[in-house]
Amino acid sequence: MRIYLVGGAVRDRLLGRAVADRDFVVVGATPQDMLDHGYRPVGRDFPVFLHAQTHEEYALARTERKSGHGYHGFVFQTDASVTLEEDLARRDLTINAIAQDEHGALIDPFGGQRDLEARLLRHVTPAFAEDPVRVLRVARFAARFAQLGFRVAEETLALMQQMVAAGEIDHLVPERVWQETRKALAEPTPSAFLRTLRACGALRVLFAEVDALYGVPQRAEYHPEIDTGIHIELVLDMAARLAPGDDLVGFCALTHDLGKALTPAAELPRHVLHEQRGVAPLRALCARLKPPAEHAALAELVCRHHLTAHRALELRASTLLRLLESLDCLRRPERLSPFLLACEADARGRTGHAEQPWPQSSILRAALEAARAVDTAPLLAQGLQGPAIGAALRKARIRAIAALKANSHAS
């Protein structure tokens, strides 16, 4: 029974990155051996165990054979005869197929260290093509490591293109697509996720509403990058910069401009009413992708109201309150921050605007604070009842926001 540290922990140590989780593979053992050593079984599809003290995962070395379509179409073999190299051979990328023994020695049969140095994301064996999730995983790793100069190896990209052409990714279940997408949106460079999927043709299949934005022109005086798809990439990366690791803000950034793909050709490069037009494709994407309810809800609010937020400095107090009411921020104030971060990412996610301030955030935060600070006690003391209380409260909130605006102009 031999135990090896494998996967991301080895890769990240070699890259000089912090190691968050450690995974181990056990060679020459049976499930009963693991139980006899006090490990607790947790694997459903194949034997995975938790260490009694550290609770880290220990998986028996295994091989896998394609038996059908999609992510679940595999038959696994786990017995004491499976070698470490056979286990490493089933992994997706060479940089994830490096093992380390208890003495710190590296076992690297597929050149993972070489590809780390060359900054390449390269598949281990042709068996890569058997698992469609790996297309998404490569794109996600591109989003994680783009800042370090990593790129997808040409032969791996060609293999991914073949997988898309063969219809293999059509069998991906929404839960796995969302799981990988959510992780990618939380990476430092989510734009690389889109570019990688687009390069292999998967973006058109999995995110048709986003793919349709590429090549759609915008007015150069507002969008020097012109292409709406490029704008989305810039917004995604700005969202990752403003809200690191926040996939909720990232999803709002990804979907806020879907309506621009539906602008009539005669109206281009202007996009009047793109906020309203974007709701239908956003709902279609969410119905297919099945993100959490709050992701879908906030993304729609950003889609509908991001232009109103950009005009916050010039809006009347009543319009500012109406925006806050539309966001349901008076009842759920925690919604305002991710909404504003997505809107700021939109404003700064334009060529030449990355360092531009976005003071709209401050006025909207202050407006919400002023509106929520209005005391209802004086209204109740007046004997108001029913709808009259709501109307009086709304007027009081408008006055509070108006006073805030007046003070800000005075200062």
Side-chain angles (χ1 to χ4, degrees), residues 23-152:
D23 295 311
F24 298 86
V25 65
V26 183
V27 177
T30 66
Q32 189 59 50
D33 293 331
M34 300 299 287
L35 295 175
D36 292 344
H37 282 80
Y39 290 87
R40 181 165 60 88
V42 293
R44 289 183 299 174
D45 298 325
F46 43 80
V48 177
F49 300 82
L50 295 183
H51 191 281
Q53 280 76 46
T54 67
H55 305 293
E56 293 173 319
E57 286 194 1
Y58 289 70
L60 293 185
R62 68 183 188 268
T63 61
E64 54 191 37
R65 176 173 53 83
K66 187 73 169 174
S67 62
H69 291 293
Y71 170 68
H72 294 291
F74 291 92
V75 174
F76 298 98
Q77 175 195 355
T78 57
D79 60 49
S81 67
V82 177
T83 67
L84 175 62
E85 184 167 335
E86 287 175 327
D87 181 90
L88 294 176
R90 67 173 179 78
R91 297 175 185 269
D92 49 7
L93 298 172
T94 60
I95 64 171
N96 297 329
I98 309 170
Q100 178 182 309
D101 68 17
E102 69 272 22
H103 304 296
L106 296 177
I107 300 90
D108 181 18
F110 302 104
Q113 295 175 87
R114 178 195 63 224
D115 287 340
L116 281 175
E117 293 173 3
R119 298 301 195 246
L120 279 178
L121 302 174
R122 189 198 309 275
H123 64 283
V124 177
T125 72
F128 176 98
E130 296 177 350
D131 185 353
V133 172
R134 289 175 170 173
V135 171
L136 288 164
R137 279 177 56 83
V138 170
R140 174 164 64 83
F141 280 119
R144 178 179 300 179
F145 294 130
Q147 290 183 329
L148 299 180
F150 276 80
R151 59 184 176 86
V152 181

Side-chain angles (χ1 to χ4, degrees), residues 214-296:
Y214 285 89
V216 176
Q218 304 165 108
R219 293 173 63 180
E221 64 268 36
Y222 298 119
H223 288 278
E225 69 280 359
I226 300 178
D227 190 308
T228 306
I230 302 302
H231 170 57
I232 295 300
E233 292 182 7
L234 294 170
V235 176
L236 277 174
D237 289 349
M238 182 55 66
R241 173 179 162 185
L242 296 173
D246 193 327
D247 58 84
L248 173 58
V249 175
F251 186 64
C252 294
L254 175 68
T255 57
H256 79 284
D257 263 354
L258 295 182
K260 288 183 176 178
L262 302 178
T263 299
E267 296 180 12
L268 295 174
R270 299 173 70 243
H271 291 279
V272 179
L273 301 179
H274 76 273
E275 320 93 279
Q276 291 91 327
R277 289 191 179 114
V279 173
L282 171 59
R283 289 179 175 176
L285 177 64
C286 289
R288 194 172 66 251
L289 202 59
K290 296 180 171 56
E294 183 60 14
H295 282 63

